[in-house]
Amino acid sequence: MLIAIVDDDPAVRESLLDLLEVSGYSAVTFASARDFLASPRIPEMHCVLLDISMPGMSGVELYKELNRRQIVVPVVFMTGHAQDGLIDEAKRAGICLSKPFVGNQLRAAIEVAVK
């Protein structure tokens, strides 16, 4: 199962990459929504871990763009300090984890998202 990690914080990307690989997932990282959208690997993704607050295109905006392009992929939103409006939009769209979270919370969120 291939998981995409889209987060502007390099430390978060690396720690999530390590956590997912230890948990038996394959993962790729992206520093921005634009980088993710430029990836030819989007059709391979089983789930996207998506930071809500990023410079440029937010996670919620990326989610809307995926829908606009009719790209169906489960999303788990993550936030450490998003604006309330963005958090509310993310929660309406699906699963939203508050940073920091522990490994079993992340694994459970991924399992729910991909079902």
Side-chain angles (χ1 to χ4, degrees):
M1 186 179 299
L2 183 61
I3 310 292
I5 302 163
V6 185
D7 197 302
D8 60 309
D9 184 329
V12 170
R13 287 193 309 272
E14 286 304 311
S15 65
L16 288 174
L17 180 65
D18 291 344
L19 175 62
L20 290 172
E21 289 178 347
V22 166
S23 298
Y25 296 103
S26 296
V28 291
T29 64
F30 302 92
S32 71
R34 298 276 179 220
D35 289 348
F36 177 77
L37 288 172
S39 174
R41 298 192 71 189
I42 291 175
E44 300 173 47
M45 303 298 169
H46 290 91
C47 186
V48 179
L49 303 180
L50 184 51
D51 187 25
I52 292 175
S53 294
M54 293 184 289
M57 181 183 281
S58 74
V60 172
E61 291 169 329
L62 173 55
Y63 178 77
K64 289 177 181 179
E65 179 63 17
L66 292 172
N67 286 333
R68 189 189 71 72
R69 294 183 185 192
Q70 299 180 353
I71 297 171
V72 179
V73 61
V75 171
V76 175
F77 291 99
M78 308 174 295
T79 184
H81 49 75
Q83 301 167 354
D84 288 339
L86 287 178
I87 292 173
D88 292 341
E89 279 191 74
K91 286 181 179 177
R92 281 192 296 274
I95 301 166
C96 185
L97 295 174
S98 293
K99 296 176 188 175
F101 47 81
V102 295
N104 61 348
Q105 290 173 305
L106 178 61
R107 287 187 294 274
I110 291 169
E111 293 302 316
V112 168
V114 299
K115 285 187 180 182

